[in-house]
Amino acid sequence: MNKVLILCDSMAVWYLPIKQHSSKVDFEKLYAKIMDGRKGSAVLYVTLDPCKDSSFFLERLSKMPWEVRTKVSYESDTSPKSVSWIREMEVEAKDRVDEFDTLVLVSGSRRFCDLAEEMHDLGKKVESWCFSDDLDGELSASVDVIEFLDSSVLM
């Protein structure tokens, strides 16, 4: 089969490029770089800020090959709070396990170590794609391949 499933929390690749490069990730370039001729699916998890109009961003994403999942989170009536998609990403990987040979996590977080181990137990390969400053040593020991993102995926 040799298919991939890419799971990406958009927030996981959003802030570091802004801080270090004064630029944002281009999700079309990110998809192309990771797929690089491979077959499979890609899911982008997007947290929406209830105080901002995200329609333009969502419209752009709808023209890309990402399957987009969204949610809005409220800390109070007027300010968003940080949202973790880890549980949803774990469930998605397990629910779709028969669709792929390689799970690609666009993250360097150690919070995915358990998922990587579960995927290995099922005979799956696991890759981590992240900016070098985002890689946690624990995750690097749990995945088969680490690929560092660079300015080629920025706007």
Side-chain angles (χ1 to χ4, degrees):
M1 181 168 41
N2 201 15
K3 289 187 174 180
V4 299
L5 174 64
I6 301 170
L7 301 180
C8 177
D9 177 352
S10 63
M11 300 307 281
V13 291
W14 192 255
Y15 291 107
L16 187 67
I18 292 172
K19 182 178 174 184
Q20 291 186 345
H21 303 283
S22 299
S23 188
K24 298 176 184 174
V25 167
D26 180 320
F27 289 101
E28 196 163 17
K29 290 179 182 176
L30 178 65
Y31 175 88
K33 185 171 186 81
I34 296 171
M35 288 303 267
D36 191 29
R38 300 189 283 185
K39 303 279 187 220
S41 303
V43 183
L44 184 65
Y45 299 86
V46 178
T47 302
L48 301 174
D49 182 337
C51 302
K52 294 182 182 172
D53 180 7
S54 302
S55 58
F56 178 75
F57 178 59
L58 293 173
E59 177 66 24
R60 287 196 64 214
L61 288 176
S62 73
K63 296 175 181 164
M64 297 179 197
W66 294 98
E67 297 173 34
V68 179
R69 311 278 187 265
T70 61
K71 65 179 163 181
V72 179
S73 185
Y74 297 92
E75 189 168 89
S76 69
D77 289 342
T78 58
S79 67
K81 74 173 187 180
S82 178
V83 173
S84 173
W85 283 95
I86 291 173
R87 182 72 189 126
E88 289 90 341
M89 293 168 78
E90 290 173 344
V91 169
E92 183 121 29
K94 292 172 189 174
D95 285 350
R96 297 176 71 169
V97 74
D98 293 332
E99 298 176 25
F100 63 89
D101 301 297
T102 301
L103 177 64
V104 177
L105 300 167
V106 183
S107 176
S109 173
R110 69 175 170 235
R111 295 180 294 176
F112 289 106
C113 289
D114 290 341
L115 178 59
E117 293 304 319
E118 285 183 61
M119 292 297 111
H120 286 138
D121 290 346
L122 295 170
K124 306 298 180 181
K125 184 176 169 186
V126 181
E127 299 179 7
S128 168
W129 288 66
C130 62
F131 291 97
S132 59
D133 290 350
D134 281 344
L135 181 63
D136 185 288
E138 286 182 53
L139 184 65
S140 65
S142 298
V143 298
D144 302 295
V145 175
I146 299 166
E147 293 286 346
F148 291 118
L149 299 171
D150 56 28
S151 61
S152 68
V153 298
L154 302 180
M155 292 182 175

